[in-house]
Amino acid sequence: MSSKMQSSSSIAQARRTVQQLRIEASIERIRVSKASSDLMRYCGEHAKNDPLLMGIPASENPFKDKKPCTVL
Amino acid sequence: MAMRQTPLTCSGHTRPVVDLAFSGITPYGYFLISACKDGKPMLRQGDTGDWIGTFLGHKGAVWGATLNTDATKAATAAADFTAKVWDAVSGDEILTLAHKHIVKTVNFTQDSSCLLTGGNDKLLRIYDLSNPDAAPQEIAGHTSAIKKALWYNNDKQILSAAEDKTIRLWDRSSMQEVKTLTFDTSVSSMEYMTDGDILVITYGKTIAFYNALSLDLIKSVEAPAPINSASLHPEKDFFVAGGDDFKLYKFDYSNKEELESYKGHFGPVHCVRFSPDGELYASGSEDGTLRLWQTAVGKTYGLWKCVLPEDLGAENSEQLYTSPPEIKA
């Protein structure tokens, strides 16, 4: 009984492995040199939209230092 | 006028890279294979360093790897006591050749019909690849582990270097020892320029050049540090060497002067090889990376592009050469 259950779970496991391998085999691949130059070009073109490079305007920054408030 | 160059760093291996080999120039460019202690040799495009594929199958550290001239076959020597022959186009394993000890070196004949292997069992073996089940021819003689074996003199002879501090020349048909060169210390590497006439041997801090026909010493050069591997440019104007101080040295061949040294690796350099067109050289290191270095720094080749400093009013004419991506495979 237990061997039957084990074999059915190993079939299920094998099925999942084959499915995973099929997914991996169909992933589109490009050369590393092309991928890295594409990445660099993208970062360069979108540099002005990058808050880490351009900074965040003080008006929109929720974490900017606020003046101390006094309670009368 | 110092010219800085950025090498192409190829990562992907997880252990030290111990051997490298280039193929000849094929209609698809040229290729590079790297042998690594992680047991997974990798095939790369020779001029860009792009990863093409990994040969899976070895169960131990791969000590030697080679490609045949047209890059259709690859052979690897590993610590799992086997040498394997692979189809370099599909990545499939074609043959597994069992040995009695760790195999350290493999070499194809020029027509890829035979494979020479050598390793810790002190024997040289010649396998006929058209008849792989037949027992290989064995050549005995070395008294300790063989580090490197090469086909020599149009595949008529065999040259082997071993831990017994000798390099022996064997005649292929008679299987007899023809000549022996003895050294004071173990030879770290041996490279033969097929179209020439020069054998490059490294031991200790010395890089020695021998006449390939007579095996007479032409000249020898002392480097600043122990050298593990050296390679002579196809046009024989200079050579490069790398060793235990992590640097790559470039020397002028005619006057033996040290021209440049390059830092970059984070561990001892185990092997250096020039590409078949001489435009770049590859170095494999203990740090697990391969680096591709330009021979003529500043030339636009492969992924390298010459970039001059913005400020034209600079006093010194220092030119910066950058490669667009730092390649990580």
Side-chain angles (χ1 to χ4, degrees):
Chain A
M1 177 93 131
S2 63
S3 65
K4 207 169 171 185
M5 282 181 65
Q6 270 172 3
S7 65
S8 66
S9 68
S10 67
I11 288 176
Q13 203 169 28
R15 273 215 184 98
R16 267 175 278 143
T17 312
V18 170
Q19 173 72 347
Q20 176 63 18
L21 287 170
R22 282 210 175 109
I23 293 170
E24 285 178 17
S26 60
I27 293 174
E28 193 205 305
R29 283 147 212 247
I30 57 173
R31 298 215 154 183
V32 172
S33 48
K34 179 164 193 311
S36 40
S37 59
D38 284 349
L39 279 168
M40 285 177 62
R41 199 179 339 116
Y42 180 88
C43 291
E45 283 166 8
H46 292 82
K48 53 187 181 318
N49 302 332
D50 187 352
L52 291 171
L53 282 174
M54 306 309 295
I56 299 173
S59 51
E60 292 170 15
N61 186 358
F63 298 105
K64 66 174 186 268
D65 297 316
K66 294 189 172 55
K67 288 196 298 249
C69 51
T70 51
V71 176
L72 294 163
Chain B
M1 185 171 58
M3 286 185 239
R4 194 159 62 88
Q5 74 157 315
T6 311
L8 287 169
T9 305
C10 310
S11 47
H13 281 304
T14 52
R15 298 285 316 282
V17 176
V18 289
D19 195 20
L20 284 176
F22 277 98
S23 69
I25 298 179
T26 77
Y28 305 98
Y30 55 89
F31 299 88
L32 172 58
I33 188 172
S34 50
C36 181
K37 288 190 189 177
D38 62 10
K40 302 192 177 77
M42 289 187 183
L43 183 68
R44 292 175 185 273
Q45 189 71 42
D47 57 341
T48 59
D50 279 316
W51 173 84
I52 295 173
T54 302
F55 297 102
L56 297 174
H58 272 303
K59 298 192 183 72
V62 177
W63 285 101
T66 188
L67 287 168
N68 64 354
T69 323
D70 57 1
T72 49
K73 288 210 175 76
T76 53
D80 60 2
F81 294 19
T82 67
K84 287 184 195 267
V85 179
W86 312 80
D87 177 330
V89 179
S90 66
D92 295 328
E93 199 180 299
I94 302 176
L95 276 181
T96 298
L97 304 164
H99 289 62
K100 303 223 168 51
H101 211 305
I102 295 173
V103 194
K104 282 283 182 74
T105 173
V106 269
N107 200 241
F108 281 108
T109 48
Q110 278 165 24
D111 58 0
S112 314
S113 61
C114 292
L115 185 72
L116 175 65
T117 69
N120 289 15
D121 59 0
K122 310 174 201 166
L123 294 171
L124 288 163
R125 287 199 169 90
I126 302 167
Y127 287 87
D128 179 354
L129 295 176
S130 53
N131 195 2
D133 296 322
Q137 291 179 295
E138 289 178 7
I139 301 178
H142 274 295
T143 54
S144 55
I146 295 170
K147 290 175 81 153
K148 183 97 190 175
L150 299 170
W151 288 106
Y152 198 68
N153 198 0
N154 251 324
D155 304 338
K156 296 204 282 276
Q157 292 177 311
I158 291 169
L159 201 60
S160 58
E163 305 274 7
D164 58 9
K165 304 182 192 163
T166 66
I167 289 183
R168 294 177 201 226
L169 181 64
W170 312 83
D171 181 87
R172 193 249 177 96
S173 35
S174 69
M175 313 255 282
Q176 293 302 313
E177 195 175 313
V178 170
K179 193 164 175 163
T180 307
L181 293 172
T182 317
F183 299 86
D184 299 321
T185 79
S186 188
V187 169
S188 45
S189 82
M190 189 166 74
E191 199 200 81
Y192 171 44
M193 313 292 300
T194 338
D195 60 331
D197 359 292
I198 306 190
L199 188 62
V200 183
I201 296 172
T202 62
Y203 52 94
K205 293 188 184 175
T206 314
I207 305 150
F209 300 91
Y210 284 75
N211 176 306
L213 298 161
S214 62
L215 280 186
D216 291 328
L217 178 65
I218 303 175
K219 62 174 89 177
S220 73
V221 181
E222 289 295 302
I227 294 294
N228 293 328
S229 175
S231 184
L232 181 62
H233 188 265
E235 257 122 71
K236 304 178 184 67
D237 19 9
F238 41 86
F239 62 95
V240 287
D244 288 342
D245 67 351
F246 312 0
K247 291 191 201 164
L248 264 288
Y249 291 97
K250 186 169 170 185
F251 290 85
D252 182 301
Y253 179 62
S254 27
N255 63 19
K256 311 208 288 188
E257 227 178 71
E258 184 188 315
L259 294 168
E260 295 260 22
S261 67
Y262 297 107
K263 295 207 295 195
H265 277 297
F266 296 105
V269 176
H270 287 306
C271 45
V272 189
R273 292 279 181 268
F274 261 107
S275 64
D277 61 1
E279 295 281 357
L280 58 82
Y281 47 99
S283 56
S285 161
E286 184 79 10
D287 64 8
T289 64
L290 272 95
R291 275 166 214 250
L292 303 180
W293 308 81
Q294 256 189 313
T295 308
V297 185
K299 198 166 172 183
T300 299
Y301 177 82
L303 296 170
W304 282 285
K305 202 174 58 175
C306 175
V307 174
L308 295 166
E310 299 282 287
D311 180 37
L312 296 169
E315 280 280 341
N316 53 338
S317 54
E318 219 193 64
Q319 291 167 307
L320 283 149
Y321 301 86
T322 58
S323 62
E326 271 281 303
I327 303 288
K328 283 198 180 286

